[in-house]
Amino acid sequence: MIRIEAVEFSYPQGEFSLSIPQMSVAQGEKVAVIGPSGSGKTTLLNLVAGIITPQRGKVSVADMEVSSSSDAKRRDFRISNIGFVFQDFGLLDYLNVLDNILHPYRITRALNLTREVQQRAIDLADGLGIGDRLKHHAGELSQGEQQRAAICRALLPQPGLILADEATGNLDPRNKGKILDLLFDSVDSSEATLLAVTHDHDLLSRFDRVIDFLDYRNEGAS
Ligand code: ADP
Ligand code: MG
C-alpha cells in the first residue's frame, strides 16, 4: 500500500532532514509510528499524503507514485483515497461541524455527496459522541471534540489509507479506547491500511507493527 524508496527530504528553511532508505506498509496493515517530538513523524505522514514531496527518492501509495505527480493529481488522489487526521485537526472554524465533516465532498468531483453519505456522517458523529454538536461551529468545540470531528471527516469517504497524527492525543482514556476501536473497526471493515502516530505506548500492542523514528535519525545532521 505504501512504498518508500531512498527518500531524502529537507524543508527549504531550517536544518531538519529525513532519510528513509526503505519503508513499506502492506495493504490492511495497522502500523504505529513512534519517536520523540521533532523526529519527523508528521513529515513522514505529509510525504505519504503527497502534501510535501521529497528532493530524492520515491513515495508510492497504492498504484500512485505520489512523489512524481503534479499538485492537482496528488490533491485529487489524497481527497478520495486518504483519510488524514491532522495533528492540529485542520477544521474550518467558520463552518459548522457537519459541514466540516462533509467538506471533502464539496471540494472534489471525485466524491459524490448523497443522502446515504449524509446519513453516514451523522451516524459516525453519533458513534463518536459528537452527534449533538453538528450544528455548532468547529471553533466552539473542545479540543477532544474537534479531534473527533476531524476523525469523522477522515473516515467518511471510507479511504483505503488512514493517516492519523496523534489522533488520540487530546482524549481522556475512555474516549481514547473508543476512538481506537472506531478507527480499527473502520479500517477492518473496509480492509484499509492504518498508519498512526501515537505517544500512547499502552496502545501499541493493538497494532500489527511499530515503526520507531529513532531508526531514521539523520546521523549526518547537526
Ligand atoms: P514530529 O511530528 O515527529 O514532532 P515534525 O515532522 O513535525 O516532527 O518535524 C520535524 C522537524 O522539522 C522539526 O525539527 C520541525 O521543527 C521541522 N519542521 C516541521 N515543519 C517545518 C517547516 N514547514 N519548515 C521548516 N521546518 C519544519
Ligand atoms: Mg508531529
Side-chain angles (χ1 to χ4, degrees):
M1 171 54 92
I2 303 173
R3 287 217 350 246
I4 295 182
E5 282 164 44
V7 156
E8 304 278 343
F9 174 81
S10 56
Y11 289 104
Q13 259 110 46
E15 319 253 281
F16 179 78
S17 68
L18 187 62
S19 305
I20 304 180
Q22 210 280 328
M23 182 188 290
S24 52
V25 176
Q27 159 102 40
E29 230 185 340
K30 300 185 193 78
V31 176
V33 177
I34 60 168
S37 176
S39 57
K41 305 179 299 295
T42 297
T43 303
L44 169 72
L45 263 49
N46 285 334
L47 283 164
V48 171
I51 293 168
I52 53 178
T53 51
Q55 279 80 17
R56 292 205 184 83
K58 269 205 237 177
V59 179
S60 312
V61 175
D63 292 330
M64 170 87 169
E65 196 179 308
V66 245
S67 48
S68 61
S69 306
S70 68
D71 287 356
K73 268 199 167 158
R74 298 202 308 275
R75 178 177 177 275
D76 282 348
F77 180 79
R78 180 165 64 245
I79 295 170
S80 24
N81 299 284
I82 301 179
F84 202 144
V85 186
F86 296 99
Q87 190 166 10
D88 60 2
F89 320 132
L91 299 174
L92 300 167
D93 284 345
Y94 57 89
L95 293 180
N96 72 31
V97 171
L98 182 59
D99 286 333
N100 264 287
I101 295 172
L102 298 175
H103 192 247
Y105 286 81
R106 299 201 166 115
I107 56 172
T108 179
R109 275 191 234 168
L111 296 173
N112 189 10
L113 184 51
T114 60
R115 274 176 183 281
E116 186 259 321
V117 169
Q118 303 224 22
Q119 188 55 51
R120 204 146 44 79
I122 294 167
D123 294 344
L124 261 176
D126 280 340
L128 281 172
I130 53 166
D132 58 344
R133 292 286 186 273
L134 289 172
K135 294 294 170 192
H136 289 252
H137 279 242
E140 296 166 24
L141 268 57
S142 73
Q143 294 284 99
E145 288 169 339
Q146 290 189 31
Q147 192 158 41
R148 285 178 272 161
I151 291 168
C152 289
R153 182 184 55 189
L155 294 182
L156 186 62
Q158 300 175 316
L161 174 61
I162 294 167
L163 302 174
D165 204 349
E166 302 188 28
T168 53
N170 293 283
L171 303 170
D172 55 83
R174 200 172 63 89
N175 271 318
K176 237 174 228 181
K178 251 171 85 174
I179 295 283
L180 212 65
D181 289 343
L182 191 99
L183 272 174
F184 277 35
D185 285 352
S186 164
V187 165
D188 286 336
S189 67
S190 54
E191 290 172 29
T193 307
L194 175 67
L195 188 61
V197 174
T198 181
H199 284 299
D200 286 309
H201 284 241
D202 46 328
L203 300 179
L204 294 182
S205 60
R206 300 186 55 178
F207 290 85
D208 298 322
R209 187 155 64 89
V210 177
I211 293 175
D212 188 343
F213 246 75
L214 282 179
D215 299 341
Y216 296 103
R217 197 169 36 184
N218 194 336
E219 302 292 344
S222 56

